[in-house]
Amino acid sequence: MNPLTRLVLLLGLLCAGPALDGCGSAADLGPEPFAGDVPNTPCTVDEDCPDPALFFCNTVTSRCAAACRSREDCGAARRGEYALAECDGNPLGCQCDMGKCVVSLCSRDADCQQEQVCRDGRCGAAPEAATAASCRVTPDFVIGRQGTQVRFDVAVSDALGRPLVLTEGITWTETGAAVVGTGAGASATFTLAAVAEASEAVEVRVGTATCRARVTVLPPEVEAGWVRVVVTDELTGRPLQGALVVAANAEGGIIGAGATEAGGVALVQASGVVSLTAFHADYGYLTLAHYDTAAGSRDLTLPLRRNPLELYGGARGTFGNLPATPNLHVGFAGLSTPGLGLELAPEQLMGPSNEVSLDLGGVARELALPLGMYMALPSNPVQAEYSAPGVAGVCDARLEGITGAEEAIRAGTCGTRTAWALAGDVPPAELPPSLFGPTLDMSQLVAQSIPLLRRFQSSIVRDVQFRLLPTPGAGAGTPNFRDTLHFTSVDHDFQQLPLGFQFAVRVPSLPRYRGAFLDGTFILGTASVPGQGLVPLGLGLGVNVNPADPSTDLQAGLPAPGLVSVRMAPAHHGLEGSDYRLLVLARSNAALTDASAGAASSALVEPLTGLFFDPRGSSPVAISGSFLPVPEGARYNFEAMPYRGLEGRQFRFLTDPGLGGATLLRAVFTHRLGHRWTVLLEPARATAGVRLPVPPAPFEDRTFFGDITGTRSLLLVQALSASQPQGDGLGPVALAEADGANLARLGDFTRAWSALDYRRPEVTWLSPGLDGLSVPRGSTVRVRVTGFRVGSGPTDDGYVQLSFTGGLGCEGQTVPGDVDASQGRGEVELKLPPGCSGLATFLTATLVDATGAPLRPRVSSTLRVDIP
């Protein structure tokens, strides 16, 4: 499962755990930031209120509160003597939200009157530039060739370190000949001009604060017969010294190599069509396949992502300002993710889990809660603190515990992200009966959770700086992330800002995986914060169960199938001015019931200019484009010799995957230590593929798992559609050639992607499950197979073959098992030969293809038993 899928699934579970079918009455909503309480009017029923047509009795507070059926019911013209000051005093008035008058929020400056701006969801006076005390430029370090245009953004804070979003008083200037340009406002674009070493070349002034960015400008010409490759840290822009860049021919043979110097530049001799790979021990490898040196600029930038598990850090804390209710308080906290989160390891997104006990209505339930989750009852702080891992990046001298900011940035031991949380107050009466059952139906729980999104609030803390330390156990493949004492302390406001915008999204036709339509959608409403990444602000959930067809199921209150309701907060507490983006993710549940299936997903990215309130879906958001097909049918030959239709070390699709709408294919191999090797190629070459070079010493071959037996690595295949704002498609070569639209900004240009986790074929013993046990002669043993379709049909991968070492009458015999006897769980039964007996007999279960040949690399498991 890719990391973004994990994120939205966790957010869905956050709501789905305490869910109830249908929607509660207005009286059950509890204390929320609604207008119109009448504090001096106690009540027990609606008739106790001044006018039951305009009020209802809030049974939680035992006070009358304003009721409505439409927005007009909240205005003075309708309410007369019962006018609501909160509504009439708000320039945007109130909305009628679930039967209550709710103060309307703004989502952008254009929602407000002239001379006003939108801050924290309310219209008001613009802050003054004179209050600015510090600033930070993104990017703060740039390497590029002459003529490249680079956009710079600035983040501003006041003297107390609080975010400050300004509309005026920001001035950009050049400070040397390396760049040309000027500007005003939160961003400016400069052109790289004169060739220069790294120096401060861009300056921005905000009030009395000044900050700069360093720029290196490379000459535009590259000597004939050579390729210039700049290798950088993807998340900081810093050059990487000591990377080895190799050029390989069509057979994967290395024909040229060069090491990067202090400026991150390597010159590699190459001609014709080659594949270029950057190797660095501390970073993921990156291969650009099929680069035509005659047609291209021969000037490339290959940004590498640091190995994800060797350092860890983040934020930890709790939630304050909790509502004084007897309800279940739940929340999920995290740190913003760079790009779209597709390159993250799962551990960088959610960390480990805790086993906790939750008493619901007298029934105790054991739950595995991620450490990023918060859950509490008034009588039981189930998990009253959260911890959220963060991804390394940049920092400044204000971060305690570092000796120097630049040193920490280059070492990957610091980062700056936005802390976010979604938290809700859930009455126990709304807990579904199915939550108390022995099993959970995930599709049902997701569907039931939809009405509860109205209960959730958003909390934001921008510019959280944190340290990263070496991960205990990472070198042995057993990383331990539980010690979070060095995490930065960040507490969230449980009721900072409601998800005040409800609207519908029209989801395009769902794609298929293994012939079945994907099972549902998660819609994540986000803000894209320059230099810090995506910040979740809201959520929508949809299922595709009844019927399972191309459209999501009909939701209550919406007019048609295919529409999904979304609840979202506006950009707030320093995120104002950031771009809104909807991530519409369709996912398959096949891996939950089929041990051979992988995690499959497909997603669309839709920019929004602003948010609006349209709970009935009268004008749903139309998603541009269609879902990309799931990239099924890819194979890699881990061997040097040809095998099953593949050349040695060749990655390719066996049949056309139908990815004409994609502009980029990405194959990601992952070693047991989390080290990765990413391969980029054009979709048009999907069936031709690419042959990978053998990494030169001392670099490890990350297409293997790194264990003693030499098993295969994990493999994830992604298809992406990336384009410029004007619509021009961006393939791997266009992104790698040194220009403004580069691989480090791939997340900014991606409009769609699909992904499939190709599970490693594995076989494990179930019965007997331990060495040294006795089994009767002629008895049946049982193994479990995952990532491999057991069977003899045309779509199956092969079967299990049992062989013997030692014993009497055992050696030389084999027992095939080609039937999954467990309805998809991958359990295969094998009957021992009646004449086989003996102490210390070794049973080996091996996965073989349809011809009976063992898979390569070999996949097997051996157990020692006694057969008396």
Side-chain angles (χ1 to χ4, degrees):
M1 183 180 296
N2 72 63
L4 187 64
T5 304
R6 293 175 185 267
L7 172 62
V8 293
L9 181 57
L10 283 169
L11 290 173
L13 288 174
L14 179 152
C15 305
L20 179 67
D21 194 14
C23 177
S25 68
D28 296 328
L29 290 178
E32 293 181 348
F34 292 112
D37 283 346
V38 185
N40 295 322
T41 307
C43 64
T44 56
V45 294
D46 293 349
E47 286 70 20
D48 294 337
C49 298
D51 184 343
L54 298 177
F55 293 91
F56 74 97
C57 182
N58 186 331
T59 56
V60 176
T61 62
S62 297
R63 291 291 186 269
C64 294
C68 59
R69 293 181 177 82
S70 66
R71 178 171 184 164
E72 289 70 25
D73 289 344
C74 300
R78 172 71 177 87
R79 303 192 71 86
E81 63 177 303
Y82 302 118
L84 305 173
E86 298 92 335
C87 297
D88 298 330
N90 179 27
L92 301 179
C94 281
Q95 300 285 359
C96 184
D97 191 349
M98 304 295 292
K100 281 193 172 184
C101 292
V102 183
V103 173
S104 296
L105 302 178
C106 58
S107 68
R108 54 180 179 163
D109 290 351
D111 294 340
C112 301
Q113 300 172 357
Q114 290 185 348
E115 308 300 327
Q116 288 191 324
V117 296
C118 181
R119 299 293 180 267
D120 299 337
R122 298 296 184 95
C123 295
E128 296 182 0
T131 59
S134 63
C135 58
R136 177 186 291 120
V137 175
T138 300
D140 68 339
F141 200 110
V142 172
I143 304 174
R145 67 166 180 257
Q146 279 181 312
T148 299
Q149 290 191 323
V150 181
R151 169 178 162 162
F152 296 89
D153 293 270
V154 64
V156 184
S157 299
D158 65 14
L160 298 178
R162 296 173 302 194
L164 192 62
V165 181
L166 301 172
T167 57
E168 296 180 347
I170 304 175
T171 304
W172 298 81
T173 58
E174 60 197 53
T175 60
V179 300
V180 173
T182 59
S187 64
T189 299
F190 288 78
T191 301
L192 305 191
V195 175
E197 298 291 333
S199 60
E200 293 182 342
V202 174
E203 179 180 275
V204 59
R205 291 183 176 272
V206 189
T208 59
T210 301
C211 48
R212 297 180 176 88
R214 284 180 289 171
V215 175
T216 298
V217 183
L218 303 174
E221 304 85 10
V222 179
E223 185 179 348
W226 295 80
V227 178
R228 179 172 67 194
V229 181
V230 181
V231 182
T232 63
D233 181 307
E234 179 184 337
L235 299 181
T236 70
R238 270 59 175 177
L240 293 183
Q241 185 176 9
L244 180 66
V245 182
V246 304
N249 58 23
E251 291 74 37
I254 295 176
I255 58 174
T260 57
E261 32 85 286
V265 177
L267 292 174
V268 181
Q269 194 167 18
S271 59
V273 178
V274 297
S275 293
L276 293 153
T277 301
F279 296 100
H280 194 294
D282 298 330
Y283 287 78
Y285 305 161
L286 182 60
T287 294
L288 175 66
H290 308 298
Y291 182 70
D292 189 342
T293 61
S297 66
R298 291 177 292 108
D299 189 10
L300 306 174
T301 297
L302 297 182
L304 307 185
R305 186 71 72 93
R306 188 178 291 275
N307 292 338
L309 305 184
E310 294 169 358
L311 300 168
Y312 80 115
R316 66 187 181 98
T318 187
F319 285 78
N321 189 29
L322 271 68
T325 69
N327 297 336
L328 180 66
H329 300 146
V330 293
F332 192 86
L335 291 174
S336 55
T337 57
L340 293 170
L342 295 175
E343 299 85 1
L344 297 184
E347 295 86 349
Q348 291 179 293
L349 196 65
M350 62 182 182
S353 297
N354 269 342
E355 297 291 333
V356 301
S357 179
L358 178 64
D359 190 324
L360 299 173
V363 178
R365 180 144 201 160
E366 301 300 317
L367 301 174
L369 296 184
L371 291 185
M373 194 166 183
Y374 171 93
M375 182 177 289
L377 287 164
S379 60
N380 179 16
V382 181
Q383 185 163 286
E385 294 186 352
Y386 80 89
S387 63
V391 181
V394 299
C395 60
D396 59 36
R398 291 174 294 180
L399 177 61
E400 296 181 359
I402 60 172
T403 56
E406 187 61 26
E407 179 183 351
I409 291 170
R410 290 179 181 262
T413 56
C414 73
T416 302
R417 303 289 169 196
T418 295
W420 60 267
L422 296 176
D425 183 48
V426 181
E430 294 190 11
L431 295 172
S434 58
L435 189 62
F436 304 96
T439 60
L440 296 178
D441 184 326
M442 290 309 303
S443 294
Q444 182 184 25
L445 283 176
V446 169
Q448 293 173 350
S449 74
I450 294 167
L452 283 181
L453 292 178
R454 73 191 186 279
R455 294 192 172 278
F456 279 76
Q457 307 249 350
S458 168
S459 175
I460 296 295
V461 181
R462 205 190 73 183
D463 303 332
V464 173
Q465 298 196 72
F466 53 90
R467 295 184 298 137
L468 295 96
L469 299 181
T471 307
T478 57
N480 186 336
F481 304 99
R482 291 194 171 274
D483 183 0
T484 60
L485 290 179
H486 65 289
F487 281 32
T488 298
S489 179
V490 179
D491 289 343
H492 279 287
D493 184 342
F494 197 91
Q495 303 181 84
Q496 192 177 73
L497 197 71
L499 308 188
F501 290 92
Q502 183 180 9
F503 55 92
V505 173
R506 188 179 301 282
V507 177
S509 295
L510 299 172
R512 299 173 185 259
Y513 171 55
R514 292 191 168 185
F517 291 107
L518 299 193
D519 296 288
T521 59
F522 292 98
I523 300 179
L524 197 63
T526 70
S528 180
V529 182
Q532 300 195 27
L534 288 182
V535 180
L537 293 172
L539 186 67
L541 308 169
V543 297
N544 181 31
V545 176
N546 186 25
D549 61 6
S551 299
T552 55
D553 292 353
L554 178 66
Q555 293 189 351
L558 296 180
L563 296 177
V564 173
S565 181
V566 176
R567 280 273 185 176
M568 189 171 170
H572 61 102
H573 287 80
L575 305 191
E576 292 87 349
S578 301
D579 293 334
Y580 290 112
R581 306 176 83 183
L582 287 180
L583 275 58
V584 183
L585 180 73
R587 85 282 183 259
S588 168
N589 291 338
L592 300 178
T593 56
D594 184 346
S596 71
S601 60
S602 186
L604 292 163
V605 182
E606 186 68 25
L608 296 178
T609 57
L611 308 182
F612 57 96
F613 190 80
D614 179 24
R616 297 181 180 179
S618 301
S619 301
V621 175
I623 303 298
S624 55
S626 302
F627 286 109
L628 292 174
V630 174
E632 298 182 75
R635 296 290 186 274
Y636 177 69
N637 178 10
F638 296 84
E639 305 286 329
M641 302 301 293
Y643 175 60
R644 298 180 68 182
L646 298 175
E647 298 296 325
R649 297 183 63 83
Q650 183 184 30
F651 170 84
R652 74 179 183 92
F653 284 81
L654 299 184
T655 58
D656 184 356
L659 294 168
T663 62
L664 170 69
L665 291 179
R666 186 158 61 180
V668 184
F669 300 90
T670 303
H671 182 279
R672 70 185 183 92
L673 301 182
H675 302 169
R676 294 180 172 182
W677 185 344
T678 300
V679 181
L680 309 177
L681 68 157
E682 301 276 356
R685 295 180 178 267
T687 55
V690 60
R691 297 180 67 179
L692 300 183
V694 175
F699 298 104
E700 64 197 0
D701 188 348
R702 297 177 181 176
T703 66
F704 289 90
F705 201 53
D707 51 8
I708 296 175
T709 56
T711 59
R712 68 188 68 198
S713 68
L714 305 174
L715 175 60
L716 172 71
V717 179
Q718 300 168 336
L720 299 93
S721 177
S723 62
Q724 295 272 26
Q726 63 270 28
D728 297 336
L730 293 170
V733 171
L735 288 163
E737 290 193 325
D739 205 343
N742 53 55
L743 284 168
R745 296 184 59 204
L746 178 57
D748 295 338
F749 301 110
T750 298
R751 296 293 173 262
W753 83 85
S754 60
L756 179 59
D757 179 3
Y758 285 76
R759 299 177 67 175
R760 290 195 333 141
E762 295 183 282
V763 56
T764 55
W765 284 93
L766 294 178
S767 178
L770 298 172
D771 272 334
L773 299 179
S774 294
V775 296
R777 297 187 189 188
S779 63
T780 297
V781 297
R782 188 158 43 97
V783 297
R784 186 168 190 261
V785 178
T786 56
F788 182 88
R789 271 186 167 179
V790 175
S792 55
T795 62
D796 295 321
D797 296 318
Y799 57 94
V800 181
Q801 183 169 273
L802 183 65
S803 58
F804 306 85
T805 302
L808 299 174
C810 304
E811 292 198 22
Q813 297 200 59
T814 60
V815 177
D818 61 1
V819 177
D820 179 351
S822 58
Q823 296 182 329
R825 295 195 303 272
E827 297 179 12
V828 177
E829 296 181 345
L830 303 133
K831 188 174 180 61
L832 300 180
C836 173
S837 64
L839 303 179
T841 302
F842 292 88
L843 312 183
T844 299
T846 302
L847 300 185
V848 300
D849 63 21
T851 68
L855 301 186
R856 290 164 34 191
R858 191 180 183 92
V859 180
S860 63
S861 181
T862 299
L863 196 69
R864 179 177 57 83
V865 299
D866 295 332
I867 309 176

